[in-house]
Amino acid sequence: QQPVQSPQAVILREGEDAVINCSSSKALYSVHWYRQKHGEAPVFLMILLKGGEQKGHEKISASFNEKKQQSSLYLTASQLSYSGTYFCGTAGGTSYGKLTFGQGTILTVHP
Amino acid sequence: GAGVSQSPRYKVAKRGQDVALRCDPISGHVSLFWYQQALGQGPEFLTYFQNEAQLDKSGLPSDRFFAERPEGSVSTLKIQRTQQEDSAVYLCASSSGLAGSQGSYNEQFFGPGTRLTVL
């Protein structure tokens, strides 16, 4: 089942912060975060693994609440380049690593 | 180094035509995934290869969709007798590790996609 992302869209001024949430009704093994700009490939941001491990870009932070099956992506001191659509992809422990993506959160950063 | 490449970038087909979409993964990557992305939606899983073996094709929407990766590198997604509902962006992603519960820790590197429009 598709994870649910919130909010659906965010508009920021440069330097402002934002939080994007991802919630699943299924037990999760890992959560993957990607950013996609219009007409481009999704770009990897971070993986959060059950048990607390993380792998990703240093300037990106995120959390993973295993009990609640939720993850949040924290964008601080936003830059114009942060604009795009953010997707969370969830993987269950018995899957082949295939990801089930949320519907996306559109982030727009203005000068 | 080169990333994942896909060709063609854009394809327009008349309803009923067959199409073939190509994916060149990152060299040495064992895992290869195909996703379908409708406008304004997140990518949806189609199929997964581990080297040349197609281990999961549960996401293929119908038997008109066929994928192969005969030598464990380049992959082709073929759609026969295209329908308007097949219009979407088809994304390919590769990963260095094996998929599965442990492989869920490996990031997937996506190609730019092929935008298919069926008239």
Side-chain angles (χ1 to χ4, degrees):
Chain A
Q1 203 162 11
Q2 186 181 38
V4 176
Q5 290 185 231
S6 63
Q8 290 187 330
V10 182
I11 299 175
L12 298 175
R13 292 280 181 197
E14 244 182 318
E16 292 181 337
D17 303 338
V19 180
I20 300 173
N21 302 302
C22 175
S23 180
S24 175
S25 59
K26 294 176 65 175
L28 301 177
Y29 187 85
S30 63
V31 179
H32 302 223
W33 286 96
Y34 288 83
R35 177 175 60 220
Q36 185 178 32
K37 295 183 182 285
H38 184 70
E40 299 182 9
V43 172
F44 166 75
L45 297 176
M46 176 162 283
I47 292 175
L48 300 105
L49 191 67
K50 187 177 179 179
E53 290 185 73
Q54 297 186 1
K55 181 163 69 170
H57 294 286
E58 294 178 358
K59 295 187 176 181
I60 301 286
S61 65
S63 64
F64 180 21
N65 186 323
E66 297 168 31
K67 288 185 179 179
K68 292 185 177 180
Q69 294 153 200
Q70 293 175 346
S71 177
S72 295
L73 184 70
Y74 305 98
L75 302 169
T76 57
S78 59
Q79 304 173 15
L80 295 177
S81 61
Y82 287 10
S83 294
T85 302
Y86 289 75
F87 293 101
C88 68
T90 58
T94 56
S95 73
Y96 270 119
K98 69 182 179 184
L99 298 177
T100 302
F101 285 93
Q103 80 281 14
T105 295
I106 301 172
L107 178 74
T108 305
V109 181
H110 290 296
Chain B
V4 178
S5 62
Q6 293 186 245
S7 61
R9 289 294 312 278
Y10 303 92
K11 177 69 179 176
V12 178
K14 291 183 179 178
R15 190 170 53 184
Q17 280 186 330
D18 298 347
V19 298
L21 313 180
R22 177 188 170 103
C23 171
D24 280 86
I26 293 172
S27 178
H29 275 192
V30 169
S31 295
L32 187 145
F33 301 82
W34 282 98
Y35 293 88
Q36 181 189 60
Q37 186 174 28
L39 189 64
Q41 300 296 315
E44 285 193 29
F45 172 83
L46 292 177
T47 188
Y48 163 68
F49 288 88
Q50 180 183 309
N51 295 308
E52 69 278 2
Q54 187 176 21
L55 299 186
D56 187 343
K57 52 183 180 179
S58 62
L60 295 177
S62 76
D63 58 8
R64 297 186 294 104
F65 286 71
F66 171 76
E68 59 183 5
R69 193 186 184 196
E71 298 179 359
S73 55
V74 170
S75 177
T76 303
L77 176 67
K78 297 180 180 178
I79 308 173
Q80 296 177 325
R81 306 181 302 282
T82 52
Q83 304 294 314
Q84 285 188 324
E85 61 262 29
D86 299 336
S87 295
V89 175
Y90 291 86
L91 294 166
C92 172
S94 70
S95 175
S96 59
L98 299 176
S101 58
Q102 298 302 317
S104 295
Y105 191 54
N106 296 310
E107 63 265 45
Q108 296 180 24
F109 296 89
F110 282 82
T114 295
R115 181 177 296 278
L116 173 66
T117 303
V118 182
L119 303 176

